[in-house]
């Protein structure tokens, strides 16, 4: 498939990105709107090219999201690049496992194609799992790196970065998208490079021939041991916060109003911006790509008269991170919908005109 | 003087943290001896449960993983699928395997995962203070069945081994006991068998071990062994189930 462009849904692009990244283990459980992802993995993962140093590429339809995330725990502990995917209710079930991955410093990629909540909610696109994703999600003092693609191409690319970051920092990484991203078909330029060879992991469980036993665990019973470990995690998180902030900025040099939006919401924001710009309005965009670490750097804008307008398919979740980043220097406004309704260009334009 | 019995390489020389008369220590040793007698220490990967045996890896000299409470067979599935040539086993209590983890247990067995399971049935939740377990006997008093287990309030002791025997993916199930040295020797043979089955790619093997918990049975270590023999075995008969 060298250098070809193919038409893929966001879900399929994530799956193909994982295959390209050398993922050799996938376990998942069906849930809308991410079913294309598990189906793609079932069809293509076992048959994809071999990965150096790995026995085979394994697909398992697990009996539940709990089983899937814990299979990923085992596969990751065994040294494989491992992934699972789901949508909101299923991600809630995985949270205990994600906490165990973080506590055991095991890399893994977890995909959440968000749907409406709380509860069974609906299957419409949503961004309402932002808090859950960026605050750790499960129990304990931890974070996962959260990457939010806004197109199928970016989903393909970020999934690959996700595996690299997971291995580099020994942490779970979440790819956070919504139902529109997951299901919309778009052309994706596939990598012409060979399938990646994952790094050798000296800590992996593979039999203790010629070395002391390796143990995968998150349990620290000795007095002071957990605090020591948590401080080590915090150090890792500080490095991640320094080095891995990602965002896209548009028209930031002259903007009087800066829209802040991620994923699908950012694409609608872009359309609104081009209309507003055509009408001579100085509007810009900050699109966070890493949601954790939140790209605070993007908000170091000197002009105190700049106003931010945070746009979400949720009720003021990312808003809190923007307020923290802006730290009272400038005015922060909010516009959001949640529960299936998608903010339209017109709604955005109306709001911008009121603020300007 | 010639040494005719010594600690095998798979068992660390460390002090036990288990209560006096607890069965976990014996079961740990049996696992280690089975591993050593098959010469597979360097290719064995164990999965420890959440339960009194949570730090089983502090006793075993081979690679091990922890698993969240009940998820040992999901974790083991992940490990074994990545390393099909290694010997992977889980060590789980009754609460872990037959209550919170029942789903993972049944489905790993039903997929015929080529794994070995050492299932410690002590009829209580030891770790959390002696509460009702799925395997608690009718009439047995626990912290959460103060007047004793009743059919009406708590249902019946769960015979998960017999249930699993129905599944075509399961190749071997045996129930053994730690009540006396003869039975301990049988238990050792059964655990070794479960490992051999895996080495021969035969599928899912499970050994249920009736194991004393003097602390939460409210009995002395000696009385606990008698209780297995006289009471527990009536509900959970020993021998080959599949
Ligand atoms: C999700 C979760 N729920 C509950 C617990 C608390 N817990 C720890 S061990 C245990 C029961 C263990 O009983 P069993 O599996 O029979 O093992 P034993 O201690 O008897 O060997 C429970 C309920 C936990 N650690 N995690
Ligand atoms: S509580 Fe019971 S199972 Fe746990 S260590 Fe003590 S005797 Fe053993
Ligand atoms: Mg028990």
């Amino acid at each position: 498939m060298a250098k070809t462009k193919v038409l893929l849904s966001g879900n399929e692009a994530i799956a193909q990105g994982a295959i390209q990244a050398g993922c050799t283990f996938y376990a998942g459980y069906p849930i809308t709107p991410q079913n294309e992802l598990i189906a793609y993995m079932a069809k293509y993962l076992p048959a994809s090219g071999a990965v150096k140093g790995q026995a085979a590429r394994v697909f398992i339809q697990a009996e539940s999201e709990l089983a899937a995330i814990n299979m990923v725990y085992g596969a990751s502990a065994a040294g494989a690049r491992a992934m699972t995917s789901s949508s909101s209710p299923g991600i809630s079930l995985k949270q205990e496992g994600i906490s165990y991955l973080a506590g055991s410093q095991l890399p893994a990629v977890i995909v959440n194609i968000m749907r409406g909540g709380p509860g069974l909610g609906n299957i419409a696109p949503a961004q309402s799992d932002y808090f859950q994703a960026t605050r750790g999600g499960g129990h304990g003092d931890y974070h996962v790196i959260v990457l939010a693609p806004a197109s199928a191409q970016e989903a393909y690319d970020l999934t690959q970065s996700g595996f690299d970051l997971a291995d580099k920092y020994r942490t779970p990484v979440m790819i956070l998208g919504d139902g529109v991203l997951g299901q919309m078909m778009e052309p994706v330029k596939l990598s012409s490079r060979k399938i990646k060879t994952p790094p050798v992991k000296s800590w992996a469980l593979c039999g203790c021939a010629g070395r002391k036993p390796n143990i995968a665990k998150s349990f620290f019973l000795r007095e002071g041991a957990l605090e020591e470990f948590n401080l080590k995690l915090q150090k890792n998180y500080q490095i991640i916060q320094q080095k891995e902030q990602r965002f896209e900025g548009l028209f930031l040099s002259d903007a009087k109003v800066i829209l802040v939006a991620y994923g699908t919401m950012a694409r609608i924001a872009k359309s609104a911006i081009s209309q507003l710009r055509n009408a001579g309005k100085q509007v810009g965009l900050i699109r966070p790509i890493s949601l954790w670490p939140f790209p605070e750097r993007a908000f170091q804008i000197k002009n105190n008269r700049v106003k931010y307008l945070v746009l979400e398919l949720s009720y003021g979740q990312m808003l809190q991170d923007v307020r923290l980043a802006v730290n009272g220097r400038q005015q922060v406004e909010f516009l959001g919908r949640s529960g299936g309704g998608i903010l339209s260009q017109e709604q955005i334009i109306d709001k911008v005109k009121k603020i300007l | 003087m010639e040494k005719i019995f010594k600690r095998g390489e798979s068992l660390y020389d460390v002090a036990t943290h288990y209560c006096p008369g607890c069965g976990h220590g014996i079961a740990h040793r049996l696992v280690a001896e089975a591993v050593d007698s098959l010469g597979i220490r360097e290719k064995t990967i164990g999965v420890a449960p959440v339960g009194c045996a949570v730090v089983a890896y502090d006793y075993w000299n081979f690679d091990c993983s922890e698993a969240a409470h009940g998820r040992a067979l999901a974790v083991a599935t992940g490990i074994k699928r990545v390393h099909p040539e290694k010997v992977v086993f889980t060590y789980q209590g009754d609460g872990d395997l037959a209550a919170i983890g029942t789903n993972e247990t049944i489905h790993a067995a039903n997929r015929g995962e080529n794994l070995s399971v050492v299932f410690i049935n002590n009829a209580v939740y030891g770790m959390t203070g002696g509460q009702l377990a799925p395997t608690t006997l009718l009439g047995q008093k626990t912290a959460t069945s103060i007047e004793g287990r009743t059919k009406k309030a708590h249902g019946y002791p769960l015979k998960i081994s017999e249930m699993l025997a129905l599944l075509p993916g399961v190749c071997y199930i045996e129930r053994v006991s730690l009540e006396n040295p003869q039975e301990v020797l049988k238990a050792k043979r059964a655990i070794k068998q479960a490992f051999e089955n895996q080495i021969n790619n035969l599928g899912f093997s499970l050994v249920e071990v009736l194991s004393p918990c003097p602390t939460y049975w409210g009995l002395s270590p000696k009385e606990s062994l008698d209780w297995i023999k006289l009471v527990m075995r009536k509900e959970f008969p020993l021998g080959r189930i599949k």
Side-chain angles (χ1 to χ4, degrees):
Chain A
M1 283 199 271
K3 276 194 181 158
T4 39
K5 267 199 171 178
V6 293
L7 206 57
L8 293 176
S9 68
N11 281 326
E12 294 168 331
I14 291 170
Q16 187 58 45
I19 290 170
Q20 174 66 27
C23 169
T24 52
F25 187 92
Y26 172 93
Y29 187 83
I31 182 169
T32 308
Q34 65 83 56
N35 290 320
E36 296 79 12
L37 207 170
I38 179 170
Y40 195 96
M41 283 308 223
K43 191 166 175 189
Y44 294 109
L45 182 69
S48 309
V51 176
K52 218 175 128 200
Q54 303 285 323
R57 300 237 212 188
V58 179
F59 167 89
I60 302 182
Q61 179 172 330
E63 59 271 31
S64 71
E65 288 86 351
L66 285 177
I69 191 73
N70 287 289
M71 288 175 187
V72 162
Y73 182 104
S76 172
R81 285 197 150 174
M83 178 165 107
T84 183
S85 65
S86 187
S87 176
S88 309
I91 296 293
S92 293
L93 273 181
K94 288 185 196 294
Q95 289 299 344
E96 183 199 37
I98 298 172
S99 168
Y100 273 69
L101 284 164
S104 304
Q105 291 195 285
L106 290 177
V109 172
I110 299 130
V111 181
N112 181 3
I113 303 299
M114 291 177 279
R115 56 187 258 177
L120 196 52
N122 63 18
I123 57 170
Q127 297 184 319
S128 37
D129 302 347
Y130 181 94
F131 280 154
Q132 188 199 48
T134 56
R135 269 59 182 167
H139 60 285
D141 235 328
Y142 76 96
H143 282 284
V144 303
I145 295 176
V146 184
L147 304 176
S151 66
Q153 181 68 55
E154 201 176 26
Y156 175 74
D157 296 336
L158 283 183
T159 303
Q160 295 177 61
S161 317
F163 278 100
D164 291 340
L165 290 170
D167 280 339
K168 181 172 178 189
Y169 295 105
R170 291 188 61 181
T171 176
V173 171
M174 181 172 282
I175 307 293
L176 191 70
D178 58 71
V180 174
L181 175 91
Q183 301 198 312
M184 191 166 55
M185 305 279 286
E186 292 186 292
V188 175
K189 186 164 172 262
L190 298 179
S191 167
S192 55
R193 274 178 294 165
K194 275 204 310 211
I195 282 165
K196 279 191 193 160
T197 305
V200 176
K201 298 165 181 178
S202 61
W203 46 263
L205 309 180
C206 51
C208 62
R211 59 162 168 77
K212 285 203 167 133
N214 283 339
I215 310 293
K217 69 174 180 88
S218 63
F219 193 46
F220 299 89
L221 209 50
R222 180 178 56 77
E223 207 188 313
L226 181 59
E227 186 170 12
E228 232 170 74
F229 174 76
N230 279 344
L231 285 169
K232 191 172 134 187
L233 279 187
Q234 290 303 318
K235 245 193 197 143
N236 198 29
Y237 295 148
Q238 277 166 15
I239 296 170
I240 294 171
Q241 281 177 310
Q242 276 161 22
K243 295 199 170 161
E244 306 299 343
Q245 293 185 23
R246 299 183 186 198
F247 67 95
E248 180 192 357
L250 266 185
F251 306 116
L252 293 183
S253 51
D254 76 339
K256 292 185 172 154
V257 171
I258 297 173
L259 306 185
V260 187
Y262 70 96
T264 294
M265 196 59 247
R267 292 182 64 163
I268 302 169
K270 276 187 189 173
S271 308
I273 289 171
S274 46
Q275 279 200 35
L276 285 160
R277 284 257 154 196
N278 284 343
K281 311 280 186 219
Q282 285 165 287
V283 182
L285 174 76
I286 292 174
R287 178 173 73 90
I289 296 172
S290 62
L291 301 183
W292 196 90
F294 191 72
E296 293 181 349
R297 222 163 271 151
F299 296 83
Q300 305 307 315
I301 287 167
K302 296 269 156 40
N303 181 355
N304 279 344
R305 287 201 301 271
V306 159
K307 293 173 184 167
Y308 296 96
L309 172 57
V310 181
L311 305 168
E312 299 174 25
L313 300 181
S314 50
Y315 286 133
Q317 299 193 20
M318 183 172 70
L319 174 64
Q320 295 198 1
D321 281 335
V322 175
R323 285 202 174 125
L324 284 170
V326 170
N327 200 17
R329 288 186 302 272
Q330 290 118 337
Q331 190 177 325
V332 180
E333 297 282 335
F334 175 72
L335 185 62
R337 283 183 78 179
S338 157
I342 293 188
L343 280 179
S344 66
Q345 281 181 54
E346 292 68 38
Q347 285 173 300
I348 298 169
I349 290 167
D350 280 353
K351 180 82 176 180
V352 169
K353 284 182 176 159
K354 276 183 204 145
I355 300 172
L356 257 173
Chain B
M1 206 167 39
E2 194 197 350
K3 225 182 190 176
I4 57 163
F5 180 81
K6 63 175 175 27
R7 186 189 303 277
E9 206 183 350
S10 290
L11 200 65
Y12 289 126
D13 185 6
V14 290
T16 183
H17 82 289
Y18 293 111
C19 309
C22 175
H24 276 303
I26 301 169
H28 285 10
R29 199 192 74 218
L30 297 184
V31 168
E33 286 177 358
V35 167
D36 285 334
S37 69
L38 292 165
I40 54 172
R41 190 185 72 86
E42 295 188 334
K43 56 182 265 194
T44 293
I45 304 170
V47 182
V50 174
C52 280
V54 61
V55 291
Y57 43 71
D58 285 350
Y59 298 93
W60 288 327
N61 182 15
F62 43 72
D63 279 9
C64 282
S65 180
E66 124 187 319
H69 189 26
R71 317 296 164 213
L73 276 164
V75 171
T77 296
I79 296 171
K80 181 71 182 180
R81 295 291 192 102
V82 171
H83 295 308
E85 76 293 357
K86 303 290 191 259
V87 179
V88 182
F89 76 94
T90 69
Y91 181 104
Q92 301 176 257
D94 36 56
D96 198 78
L97 180 137
I100 193 168
T102 318
N103 204 27
E104 284 75 7
T105 303
I106 290 176
H107 287 279
N110 195 45
R111 285 191 303 269
E113 296 291 343
N114 191 26
L115 294 167
S116 312
V117 179
V118 179
F119 165 36
I120 305 297
N121 178 357
N122 59 9
V124 284
Y125 284 15
M127 176 86 160
T128 40
Q131 296 88 349
L132 182 91
T135 47
T136 294
L137 302 190
L138 286 171
Q140 187 184 337
K141 291 181 178 160
T142 72
T144 51
S145 57
I146 298 154
E147 303 294 330
R149 181 176 197 151
T150 65
K151 297 170 200 173
K152 194 158 175 260
H154 314 101
Y156 298 85
L158 187 67
K159 294 200 175 71
I160 189 107
S161 292
E162 279 82 352
M163 287 168 64
L164 293 172
L166 297 172
L167 304 176
V170 172
C171 83
Y172 171 72
I173 298 195
E174 182 152 355
R175 185 179 288 120
V176 298
S177 155
L178 302 180
E179 73 202 43
N180 63 37
Q182 293 91 312
E183 296 301 331
V184 169
L185 284 176
K186 284 192 208 161
K188 181 174 164 179
R189 277 199 291 276
I191 291 170
K192 189 175 171 191
Q193 183 68 53
F195 283 122
E196 278 170 344
N197 293 342
Q198 184 179 160
I199 292 164
N200 296 323
N201 287 310
L202 296 180
F204 191 90
S205 297
L206 180 145
V207 180
E208 175 175 341
V209 183
L210 303 187
S211 174
C213 173
T215 303
Y216 291 115
W217 292 356
L219 301 171
S220 72
K222 167 75 175 69
E223 287 165 346
S224 298
L225 300 179
D226 293 341
W227 193 76
I228 295 180
K229 188 169 163 187
L230 301 173
V231 183
M232 202 173 174
R233 272 176 58 173
K234 292 218 170 76
E235 186 65 36
F236 296 107
L238 302 190
R240 185 86 181 250
I241 298 171
K242 183 166 187 178

